[in-house]
C-alpha cells in the first residue's frame, strides 16, 4: 500500500510541471495551432475550406473562410473570443461580376461588434461602411485563392452604430456603387 502511495506522489510531481508546460504552450500565441473552422450549423463543406483573410478590427482578431457546399458558396467569419457566423447561397464569383458591390450578411453579437460582409468586383479599391456616426473602412480579400474572380469584404462596426450603406470606390476615390444596408 505504501508503494502505491509513493507512485501516486511521483506521478503528481511529474504531471504538474508537464501540465504547466502544456497550458503555457497553449496560451503562447506563437504556438497556437491553426484550427479548422468548426461547423456552426451550416451545410457540410464540399472540398477545401480556405482561409482568405485574417486581421484585427476594433481590437478583435478575426479569420475569414470560403468554401463550397450543397447550398452554394459559403463564407465563415470567426471572431476571437467567440462570435461570427456563416452565410451560404449564391455564387461568389458571379455575384462579384454582377456589380461593383453587394452585401451578403449583417449581424450583431452579444458582447461583440456588429459585422457586415459582402462581395466586390475586382475594380473596387476600397469599401466604406457608412454609419449614423461616420464611416468605417472594410477589409478587402481576394477570391483568387479559391479560383474565383472578385473580392470579399468584412467590416466590424461598433455595436452602438447603425449601418446605412456599403460604398465601393475605385483607386482614385471615385464612387463605383452603393448597397443600402437594412440592418443593425
Amino acid at each position: 500500500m505504501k508503494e502505491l502511495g509513493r507512485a501516486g506522489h511521483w506521478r503528481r510531481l511529474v504531471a504538474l510541471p508537464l501540465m504547466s508546460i502544456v497550458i503555457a504552450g497553449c496560451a503562447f500565441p506563437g504556438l497556437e495551432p491553426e484550427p479548422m473552422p468548426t461547423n456552426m450549423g451550416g451545410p457540410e463543406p464540399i472540398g477545401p475550406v480556405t482561409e482568405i483573410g485574417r486581421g484585427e478590427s476594433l481590437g478583435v482578431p478575426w479569420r475569414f473562410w470560403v468554401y463550397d457546399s450543397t447550398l452554394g458558396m459559403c463564407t465563415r467569419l470567426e471572431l476571437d473570443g467567440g462570435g461570427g457566423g456563416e452565410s451560404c447561397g449564391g455564387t461568389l464569383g458571379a455575384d462579384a461580376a454582377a456589380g461593383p458591390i453587394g452585401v451578403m450578411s449583417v449581424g450583431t453579437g452579444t458582447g461583440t461588434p456588429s459585422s457586415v460582409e459582402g462581395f466586390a468586383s475586382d475594380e473596387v479599391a476600397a469599401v466604406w461602411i457608412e454609419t449614423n456616426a461616420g464611416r468605417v473602412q472594410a477589409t478587402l480579400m481576394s477570391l483568387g485563392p479559391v479560383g474565383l474572380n472578385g473580392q470579399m469584404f468584412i467590416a466590424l462596426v461598433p455595436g452602438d452604430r447603425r449601418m446605412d450603406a456599403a460604398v465601393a470606390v475605385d483607386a482614385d476615390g471615385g464612387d463605383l456603387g452603393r448597397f443600402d444596408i437594412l440592418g443593425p
Side-chain angles (χ1 to χ4, degrees), residues 21-49:
I21 291 169
V22 169
I23 291 170
C26 290
F28 186 71
L31 297 179
E32 289 180 18
E34 293 294 326
M36 252 327 241
T38 56
N39 192 300
M40 297 178 74
E44 289 297 316
I46 298 172
V49 178

Side-chain angles (χ1 to χ4, degrees), residues 12-111:
R12 281 191 300 271
L13 284 175
V14 172
L16 286 174
L18 285 176
M19 283 188 350
S20 298
I21 291 169
V22 169
I23 291 170
C26 290
F28 186 71
L31 297 179
E32 289 180 18
E34 293 294 326
M36 252 327 241
T38 56
N39 192 300
M40 297 178 74
E44 289 297 316
I46 298 172
V49 178
T50 305
E51 180 180 320
I52 63 166
R54 66 172 59 205
E56 184 174 316
S57 300
L58 303 176
V60 178
W62 55 266
R63 291 181 179 154
F64 195 85
W65 286 275
V66 175
Y67 64 94
D68 196 7
S69 77
T70 55
L71 296 178
M73 293 300 290
C74 296
T75 63
R76 166 135 191 228
L77 170 65
E78 186 175 88
L79 303 177
D80 192 34
E86 291 184 49
S87 178
C88 295
T91 53
L92 296 179
D95 291 341
I101 191 165
V103 171
M104 292 177 59
S105 174
V106 177
T108 59
T110 306

Side-chain angles (χ1 to χ4, degrees), residues 93-168:
D95 291 341
I101 191 165
V103 171
M104 292 177 59
S105 174
V106 177
T108 59
T110 306
T112 60
S114 297
S115 63
V116 58
E117 70 180 67
F119 53 86
S121 59
D122 285 326
E123 75 261 18
V124 173
V127 172
W128 291 94
I129 307 303
E130 292 180 346
T131 76
N132 63 320
R135 60 186 194 163
V136 174
Q137 186 168 11
T139 300
L140 286 167
M141 302 162 286
S142 172
L143 285 167
V146 293
L148 299 172
N149 294 323
Q151 308 173 80
M152 293 297 300
F153 69 85
I154 175 68
L156 298 183
V157 177
D160 61 347
R161 293 189 187 183
R162 182 191 71 248
M163 293 181 269
D164 297 324
V167 179

